[in-house]
């Protein structure tokens, strides 16, 4: 093990702080025996104003449920534990209702979130607080996002997927939100639309807003994020700085993060054996131990806590 150091302290209060968040759902087995599936375990994350933090994980790892937890739109049967703070205040259900769509805005994964029966211009104008200049502000924003002048007069079904995503981004930009949660905004886009979408999301942080960028695309994360939170089996196993992803991944602290980096085509293109565990699986030790090349019996029997190492955070006994 290497020596552990303390991170640089910041006097500025975080915009969003998630501490030891766990999320479970009940399930009924044979004989109607009730048990709980834990889909998020001891999750932690901090976002400051003007910062983009990417939450990177494979499909089914619980990333979108994390967004729903922050927004307060989980199903009624969800069981949560832990703390979520927004500008230092506990994010209670009442406060979530007050902030959702205002101080906290979502760019949803699906463009179906747009109202199919309302023209896109009217939809975006509905979030603008300056009632006298709504149309002008909407049109100026559409131009800024490289949307044709007549886009506001079209219905969602008349737009391409890339255009519809930019309309959703415009809605988030004009909502006046302090925190934007972008949930998988790039899948299925061609290269040009992919680039444009990432540029547009980057613009959101330039107005001093914080962005949580949820994605399984590590290339997209590295292009715009300041920090990368790596999500595995519902846990934050590492929070690394963008600069740590270089060379052979020597600055990365967790074996899974290194494996992700080395699996990219421009690196060793070396696939990691095995699969991410199902949410029903219960671990007494490290969730990555079954696939980890350096795991020991101690790892399989003991759960690592997060530790600050070289200005990053990781959950690994041997980082």
């Amino acid at each position: 093990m290497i020596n552990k150091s303390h991170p640089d302290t910041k006097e500025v209060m975080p915009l969003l702080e998630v501490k030891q968040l766990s999320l479970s759902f009940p399930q009924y087995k044979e004989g109607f025996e009730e048990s709980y599936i834990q889909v998020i375990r001891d999750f932690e994350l901090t976002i400051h104003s003007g910062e983009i933090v990417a939450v990177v994980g494979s499909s089914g790892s619980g990333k979108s449920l994390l967004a729903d937890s922050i927004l307060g739109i989980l199903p009624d049967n969800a069981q949560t534990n832990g703390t979520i703070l927004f500008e230092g205040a506990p994010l209670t259900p009442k406060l979530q209702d007050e902030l959702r769509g205002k101080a906290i805005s979502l760019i949803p994964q699906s463009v179906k979130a747009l109202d199919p029966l309302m023209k896109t211009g009217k939809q975006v104008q509905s979030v603008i607080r300056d009632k006298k200049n709504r149309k002008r502000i909407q049109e100026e924003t559409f131009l800024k996002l490289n949307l044709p002048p007549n886009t506001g007069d079209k219905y969602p079904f008349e737009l391409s997927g890339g255009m519809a995503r930019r309309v959703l981004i415009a809605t988030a930009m004009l909502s006046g939100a302090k925190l934007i949660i972008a949930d998988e905004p790039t899948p299925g886009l061609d290269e040009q639309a992919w680039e444009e979408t990432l540029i547009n999301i980057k613009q959101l942080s330039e107005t001093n807003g914080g962005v949580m960028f949820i994605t399984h695309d590590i290339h997209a994360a590295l292009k715009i994020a300041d920090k990368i939170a790596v999500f595995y089996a519902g846990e934050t196993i590492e929070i690394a700085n963008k600069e740590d992803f270089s060379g052979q991944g020597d600055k990365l602290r967790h074996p899974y993060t290194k494996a992700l980096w080395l699996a990219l085509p421009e690196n060793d293109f070396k696939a990691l054996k095995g699969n991410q565990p199902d949410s029903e699986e219960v671990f007494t030790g490290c969730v990555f131990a079954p696939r980890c090349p350096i795991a020991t019996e101690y790892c399989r029997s003991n759960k690592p806590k997060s530790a600050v190492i070289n200005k990053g955070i990781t959950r690994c006994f041997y980082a």
Side-chain angles (χ1 to χ4, degrees):
M1 296 187 187
I2 63 176
N3 292 329
K4 295 174 181 172
S5 60
H6 295 287
D8 295 334
T9 57
K10 291 189 176 182
E11 295 180 1
V12 179
M13 181 182 296
L15 181 63
L16 178 75
E17 193 170 7
V18 183
K19 300 177 180 180
Q20 305 300 311
L21 177 69
S22 296
L23 171 63
S24 302
F25 291 96
Q27 69 166 356
Y28 294 92
K29 298 181 179 179
E30 293 182 7
F32 298 102
E33 179 185 352
E34 185 179 28
S35 62
Y36 282 85
I37 299 175
Q38 196 168 43
V39 293
I40 295 178
R41 307 172 183 86
D42 300 328
F43 184 85
E44 57 187 327
L45 186 71
T46 300
I47 301 177
H48 288 82
S49 295
E51 184 177 56
I52 298 178
V53 177
V55 179
V56 176
S58 61
S59 297
S61 59
K63 303 186 302 298
S64 292
L65 287 170
L66 170 64
D68 293 347
S69 300
I70 295 168
L71 290 162
I73 55 174
L74 288 167
D76 291 338
N77 63 344
Q79 301 288 324
T80 59
N81 290 292
T83 303
I84 304 176
L85 302 174
F86 184 77
E87 295 186 319
L91 203 52
T92 61
K94 180 181 178 181
L95 187 57
Q96 286 171 322
D97 289 341
E98 293 175 1
L99 300 180
R100 188 168 52 246
K102 298 171 184 174
I104 303 176
S105 184
L106 173 70
I107 301 175
Q109 184 172 350
S110 173
V111 296
K112 293 180 180 179
L114 291 169
D115 187 338
L117 302 178
M118 183 186 293
K119 292 182 178 180
T120 57
K122 290 292 185 182
Q123 293 191 51
V124 174
Q125 290 169 32
S126 67
V127 304
I128 300 174
R129 298 175 186 177
D130 184 350
K131 296 181 180 180
K132 293 182 179 179
N133 298 295
R134 281 179 170 174
K135 184 173 177 61
R136 176 181 60 80
I137 294 171
Q138 169 257 306
E139 290 176 344
E140 289 175 352
T141 303
F142 275 17
L143 287 175
K144 185 178 181 181
L145 295 174
N146 294 319
L147 287 167
N150 64 341
T151 304
D153 296 323
K154 294 181 180 295
Y155 290 96
F157 73 87
E158 298 179 284
L159 306 181
S160 67
M163 292 172 70
R165 288 188 189 279
R166 276 176 275 171
V167 170
L168 290 170
I169 291 172
T171 304
M173 290 176 70
L174 295 173
S175 67
K178 296 179 180 179
L179 174 66
I180 305 291
I181 301 175
D183 187 8
E184 295 278 14
T186 58
L189 300 181
D190 59 40
E191 185 175 354
Q192 181 178 349
W194 182 85
E195 289 273 358
E196 290 177 350
T197 298
L198 293 178
I199 290 171
N200 298 151
I201 292 173
K202 183 71 174 177
Q203 289 175 322
L204 294 173
S205 68
E206 293 171 355
T207 58
N208 207 36
V211 179
M212 177 188 290
F213 178 45
I214 297 174
T215 184
H216 66 266
D217 185 348
I218 195 168
H219 285 111
L222 291 173
K223 193 172 183 66
I224 64 171
D226 302 296
K227 293 189 298 188
I228 315 292
V230 182
F231 207 44
Y232 183 85
E235 292 186 8
T236 318
I237 59 170
E238 178 164 2
I239 300 178
N241 297 309
K242 178 180 180 179
E243 296 75 21
D244 296 334
F245 291 84
S246 62
Q248 292 298 301
D250 295 333
K251 293 182 180 179
L252 298 171
R253 301 148 195 86
H254 198 282
Y256 178 65
T257 312
K258 291 181 181 179
L260 281 181
W261 175 244
L262 295 177
L264 296 178
E266 61 268 30
N267 297 327
D268 288 351
F269 210 2
K270 185 178 179 180
L272 178 65
K273 295 181 179 179
N275 299 297
Q276 185 169 237
D278 294 332
S279 56
E280 296 182 13
E281 292 188 49
V282 178
F283 293 88
T284 56
C286 175
V287 293
F288 186 60
R291 304 175 68 188
C292 183
I294 63 171
T296 63
E297 190 58 39
Y298 186 80
C299 300
R300 298 181 185 93
S301 305
N302 297 273
K303 197 169 188 62
K305 296 181 179 180
S306 62
V308 177
I309 303 176
N310 293 344
K311 299 182 180 180
I313 296 175
T314 190
R315 291 177 187 263
C316 180
F317 294 116
Y318 303 105

